[in-house]
Amino acid sequence: QVQMQESGPGLVKPSQTLSLTCSVSGESISSAGRYWNWIRQPAGKGLEWIGRVYTNGATNYNPSLESRVTISIDTSKNQFSLKLSSVTAADTAVYYCAKDQWLVLWGQGTLVTVSS
Amino acid sequence: QTVVTQEPSVTVSPGGTVTLTCGYSTRAVTSGSWPTWVQQKPGQAPRTLIYSTSKKHSWTPARFSGSLLGGKAALTLSGVQPEDEAEYYCLLYSGGAGVFGGGTSLTVL
C-alpha cells in the first residue's frame, strides 16, 4: 500500500526558507513516469497548487510562487522536497504532498507556521 | 494569472441531484485542462474523486460523475447522501501549471 508522509519544521522565521520533504513508501518514486505535487491550504481557506516534479526532475510551478519555489526529487531516498524562500506570515498553511497528475493519493499534511 | 471559478455554496436535499461547476473567467474548459475534482471534509486531508474530466478512482461512489457542461467542468451528485456534505474543489491545468478553484461548500439539508 502506497503511503506519503510530509515532514519538516513546523515553525519557520520570516524571511527564512521553508523546507519540507515528502517520503513515499510502498512504491518506487522513479519506477514510472509520474508527477509528484505540493499543495497548501491556509487555515480556513482553499487549496493552492504550489508545483510538481516529474520523475526525471522536470518541474512546473505556480506562477505566483515561481520566484521563491524549488521542488526536487531524490530517487535514492524515495522522496521529493519543497523549498520556499523568503517566507512571510502569508505562507503559514498546511502543506500537502500528492501523487500523480490526478492527485490520486495525498499525504496527511503538515502545518507550517511562519512566525518570529 | 489564471482564475478558476466555482459556486461558493450550494444546498441540496438528501436524495436529490446537484451539479457543481468549475470554469475559467476568460475561456471554456476543455478536456485538455484535465479537470480534477477533490473532496475535503472538515479536519481531513483532501481526496480526489474525479480526474481527467470524468474518470473515477476505485473509491469514488457511483453517485459522483464528472463531465463538461456549457464550457465548464461539472461534478454531478445523483442521490445525494448526508455524508456528501463537504467542500469540493476543482483543479484545472493551464500551461503545465495547476490552478484550484475557490471551492464549493455543499450542504445537505
Side-chain angles (χ1 to χ4, degrees):
Chain A
Q1 184 178 354
V2 183
Q3 293 185 322
M4 305 177 69
Q5 181 65 58
E6 306 87 351
S7 61
L11 180 64
V12 181
K13 289 182 167 50
S15 80
Q16 293 190 342
T17 296
L18 177 160
S19 296
L20 295 175
T21 296
C22 182
S23 298
V24 180
S25 60
E27 175 181 339
S28 171
I29 202 169
S30 60
S31 63
R34 291 197 188 282
Y35 287 105
W36 302 92
N37 303 266
W38 285 101
I39 293 152
R40 69 181 182 179
Q41 185 173 37
K45 296 187 178 180
L47 301 171
E48 180 177 30
W49 188 87
I50 299 171
R52 64 184 182 181
V53 60
Y54 195 63
T55 305
N56 65 1
T59 54
N60 298 105
Y61 297 131
N62 183 328
S64 68
L65 298 171
E66 188 164 13
S67 63
R68 299 194 291 132
V69 172
T70 302
I71 297 176
S72 59
I73 191 167
D74 188 337
T75 55
S76 67
K77 295 181 179 179
N78 219 47
Q79 61 189 25
F80 62 106
S81 300
L82 167 70
K83 291 188 185 300
L84 181 65
S85 64
S86 304
V87 297
T88 69
D91 296 309
T92 294
V94 174
Y95 285 76
Y96 295 99
C97 56
K99 170 186 167 183
D100 215 332
Q101 175 162 336
W102 316 122
L103 311 181
V104 65
L105 179 67
W106 295 65
Q108 281 302 301
T110 187
L111 174 63
V112 178
T113 301
V114 178
S115 174
S116 55
Chain B
Q1 184 81 359
T2 301
V3 176
V4 175
T5 58
Q6 297 182 245
E7 300 87 359
S9 63
V10 173
T11 299
V12 61
S13 299
T17 296
V18 65
T19 296
L20 313 182
T21 67
C22 167
Y24 291 119
S25 55
T26 57
R27 63 187 188 275
V29 175
T30 68
S31 58
S33 299
W34 310 106
T36 298
W37 290 93
V38 175
Q39 179 193 62
Q40 187 178 33
K41 296 181 178 180
Q44 296 184 15
R47 70 166 183 166
T48 301
L49 298 177
I50 299 289
Y51 65 99
S52 190
T53 304
S54 59
K55 297 181 180 179
K56 300 180 184 183
H57 291 296
S58 58
W59 55 82
T60 304
R63 61 184 178 274
F64 289 85
S65 63
S67 64
L68 293 177
L69 191 65
K72 295 184 177 183
L75 176 69
T76 299
L77 290 71
S78 304
V80 172
Q81 301 297 306
E83 61 264 30
D84 298 332
E85 185 161 294
E87 194 80 18
Y88 292 86
Y89 296 93
C90 69
L91 172 68
L92 302 177
Y93 286 95
S94 177
V99 183
F100 279 103
T104 296
S105 177
L106 181 67
T107 300
V108 181
L109 195 59

